[in-house]
Amino acid sequence: MLPTTEVTMAPGELRIPGEAEEGILIGDKRYSGVTLTLDNCLLSTERLERSPSAEQGLPPDTEEQLRTQGCELIQAAGILLRLPQVAMATGQILFQRFFYCKSFIRHCVETVAMACVHLASKIEEEPRRVRDVLNVFHRLKHSKDSRTFLPLALDANYISMKSQVIKAERRVLKELGFCVHVKHPHKIIVMYLQVLECEKNTKLVQMAWNYMNDSLRTDVFLRFSAETVACACIYLSARSLQIPLPDQPPWFWLFGASEEDLREVCHRILRLYTLPQVSLPKLQQLVAECRQVLDSVRGKIGLGGALPSVNGTPTLDVPTSFSPTSKAGSPATVQVTQESSLSQVALKKACRKLTNGDGKTRLSRSDERREAQPESQSPKRRRSRSVSSPTRSLSPVHRKKQPTDRERDREKERERERELGGEKNQKLQQENIMDQTPSNSTESFVIPDK
């Protein structure tokens, strides 16, 4: 793949007349494509100093503690789910990235943390079910409150939580632009220590590894590259163990890092150990108070006022009255369902039965015709529309074949022959009876005269 060079031109710079300009002009900049690199994951200083939560009135200390608590939840859940450390690190970095796009006031910390764990498990090819993630977070939430742990019930609340986690996962992907690749400094630390010939020092390797895992709770991976964070972890662990490293020239120059960046990363990692321990329910209560204040301010402004946007990204609760006319498919307008043909027929029949001004019921057209006919006249028999003969109107299957005259004469002759034959048979039977005499006896019978 050949390297590409990007040429930027100022808005007021001269252009060649007749040259075709590609892309879309938005403001003073022209956009002609989308570039996805790991450098896009590093945020600018202005955006880091003014996060969406700070713009909506959340104190910086509370936001920092919320980030720490969310990352600790992800780490603890990953251990219970038996995820590799790389997957847990991916989930924490995605969590940090998302809350530089959205505010803690408008999004629940626990729901986003569950979504990041579920998404990171799929990114690192160690997928876990949503049900397992919900059970683990339920265990972490109630294990500190009471000694007796009750499992998560499979009720309507469980179904609602599951749908919220799936929606939060989609929102994370949308806000991050589906750029979820993370470059971890795990391998980089080992490689740098091998270059410095310190890989046999197990204490130095283990401490640098621990500092790197703790740095995931901060936003240093959004400020500096993975190579700079790896150098900072080695720098801090070497200073803690008082292990000398080459300084003529400094060893970190070999890896493209500066001493100012290393000190900044070390300062943020050490600040993590000095933060006061505040429970997550108290932090959520502070967030709820900020949300109430924000809602009251927006209520005073009214629905007509413009809602403050977060870094150009529209918020979730944009009022629906921004358009002058409502759309046809809008839920605000009542949609009239189209009546069926049966209901229309029933409605017509009901209208026909309504009373007139005289108090008489209005009959249907067929009933009016029947009443208009005189009683003396008998109703005419309805004839077939196709053929006048009723016998011919039958179908060929049900139609009977009419006998001819010859066939009728033959039938009569057959009946006569049957009658004659029957009479002859009766006479023959009587004669046979009279002729029969007993064969054994010699006596003669005398029939007396009448």
Side-chain angles (χ1 to χ4, degrees):
M1 183 176 180
L2 297 176
T4 58
T5 58
E6 297 182 358
V7 180
T8 59
M9 186 176 292
E13 194 172 351
L14 295 177
R15 300 180 183 276
I16 301 174
E19 183 181 1
E21 298 179 1
E22 297 179 357
I24 303 172
L25 183 63
I26 302 176
D28 297 336
K29 297 181 180 179
R30 183 172 296 277
Y31 298 89
S32 59
V34 178
T35 305
L36 294 178
T37 61
L38 289 176
D39 296 335
N40 296 347
C41 302
L42 302 180
L43 305 180
S44 61
T45 307
E46 298 177 355
R47 190 171 179 181
L48 290 168
E49 290 177 355
R50 194 65 177 171
S51 64
S53 302
E55 288 184 356
Q56 294 186 355
L58 190 67
D61 296 339
T62 306
E63 181 182 358
E64 189 174 4
Q65 290 171 354
L66 282 170
R67 291 180 182 275
T68 304
Q69 290 287 342
C71 292
E72 287 180 356
L73 273 176
I74 294 173
Q75 182 73 23
I79 293 172
L80 293 178
L81 289 170
R82 298 180 181 179
L83 289 172
Q85 182 61 32
V86 178
M88 291 183 274
T90 302
Q92 295 178 53
I93 294 175
L94 295 179
F95 180 84
Q96 295 281 356
R97 289 181 188 175
F98 176 77
F99 280 109
Y100 270 108
C101 299
K102 291 296 180 181
S103 173
F104 281 99
I105 296 177
R106 295 301 177 189
H107 298 273
C108 180
V109 179
E110 293 181 355
T111 306
V112 176
M114 287 188 279
C116 290
V117 170
H118 187 241
L119 180 59
S121 66
K122 292 188 285 186
I123 292 172
E124 301 299 336
E125 298 181 358
E126 292 287 341
R128 297 293 185 271
R129 297 185 301 174
V130 183
R131 180 177 178 179
D132 297 338
V133 176
L134 289 173
N135 288 331
V136 165
F137 273 83
H138 178 75
R139 174 65 181 269
L140 293 173
K141 183 177 181 179
H142 295 280
S143 60
K144 298 180 181 179
D145 300 339
S146 60
R147 295 181 180 178
T148 58
F149 171 72
L150 297 176
L152 183 62
L154 300 178
D155 52 1
N157 186 23
Y158 167 79
I159 297 172
S160 176
M161 290 174 60
K162 184 176 181 180
S163 63
Q164 289 177 6
V165 171
I166 295 172
K167 290 179 182 178
E169 182 183 1
R170 294 175 183 172
R171 176 54 62 89
V172 170
L173 288 171
K174 174 182 172 294
E175 295 300 329
L176 299 182
F178 290 84
C179 185
V180 293
H181 181 71
V182 178
K183 188 175 183 180
H184 300 289
H186 295 76
K187 297 180 180 179
I188 299 175
I189 287 178
V190 177
M191 183 179 63
Y192 286 178
L193 290 173
Q194 289 176 354
V195 172
L196 295 173
E197 297 180 355
C198 297
E199 72 278 3
K200 295 182 180 180
N201 193 339
T202 56
K203 290 185 178 180
L204 179 63
V205 175
Q206 186 63 45
M207 185 171 289
W209 194 273
N210 294 339
Y211 279 135
M212 188 271 302
N213 289 332
D214 293 341
S215 66
L216 295 170
R217 304 179 189 178
T218 65
D219 57 353
V220 294
F221 285 94
L222 308 182
R223 297 174 180 269
F224 306 98
S225 61
E227 291 80 7
T228 304
V229 176
C231 292
C233 293
I234 297 173
Y235 178 83
L236 184 58
S237 58
R239 293 286 295 268
S240 300
L241 296 174
Q242 296 182 358
I243 297 176
L245 294 176
D247 57 350
Q248 295 295 334
W251 61 272
F252 45 82
W253 286 7
L254 179 64
F255 309 117
S258 63
E259 190 172 1
E260 295 179 358
D261 294 343
L262 298 185
R263 289 182 179 274
E264 180 67 20
V265 174
C266 293
H267 174 71
R268 293 188 176 277
I269 294 174
L270 294 175
R271 176 178 168 76
L272 184 66
Y273 307 125
T274 59
L275 287 176
Q277 295 292 331
V278 184
S279 62
L280 187 58
K282 292 183 179 179
L283 294 175
Q284 290 178 344
Q285 186 176 0
L286 294 174
V287 171
E289 294 175 359
C290 293
R291 187 183 300 112
Q292 291 178 359
V293 173
L294 184 62
D295 292 340
S296 63
V297 171
R298 289 182 177 177
K300 292 178 181 179
I301 295 174
L303 295 177
L307 293 176
S309 61
V310 180
N311 292 334
T313 305
T315 56
L316 288 176
D317 50 355
V318 178
T320 57
S321 62
F322 69 95
S323 59
T325 57
S326 60
K327 297 180 180 179
S330 174
T333 59
V334 180
Q335 297 181 358
V336 181
T337 56
Q338 186 178 1
E339 297 181 353
S340 62
S341 58
L342 295 176
S343 61
Q344 291 178 358
V345 172
L347 183 61
K348 289 180 181 179
K349 289 182 179 179
C351 293
R352 289 172 183 173
K353 292 182 180 180
L354 292 176
T355 58
N356 296 331
D358 302 335
K360 297 180 180 180
T361 57
R362 184 177 177 181
L363 302 176
S364 62
R365 294 180 182 177
S366 59
D367 296 337
E368 289 177 357
R369 290 173 184 172
R370 289 172 186 173
E371 288 187 357
Q373 292 178 358
E375 296 181 358
S376 61
Q377 293 181 1
S378 61
K380 294 181 179 180
R381 186 175 180 180
R382 186 175 179 182
R383 300 178 64 184
S384 176
R385 296 181 181 177
S386 58
V387 186
S388 59
S389 176
T391 56
R392 295 183 182 178
S393 61
L394 297 174
S395 62
V397 179
H398 302 284
R399 191 180 300 168
K400 264 189 176 182
K401 187 176 181 181
Q402 298 296 330
T404 60
D405 296 337
R406 291 183 181 180
E407 291 177 352
R408 290 174 185 173
D409 296 339
R410 288 177 184 176
E411 287 291 333
K412 290 179 181 180
E413 290 177 359
R414 289 173 186 173
E415 290 178 359
R416 291 174 184 174
E417 290 177 356
R418 289 172 187 170
E419 291 176 358
L420 294 174
E423 292 177 357
K424 290 179 179 180
N425 291 332
Q426 288 178 359
K427 290 180 180 180
L428 290 173
Q429 288 177 0
Q430 290 177 1
E431 291 177 358
N432 292 331
I433 292 171
M434 295 296 294
D435 293 339
Q436 287 179 359
T437 55
S439 59
N440 298 328
S441 64
T442 60
E443 297 179 357
S444 62
F445 293 93
V446 177
I447 299 173
D449 295 333
K450 291 183 179 181

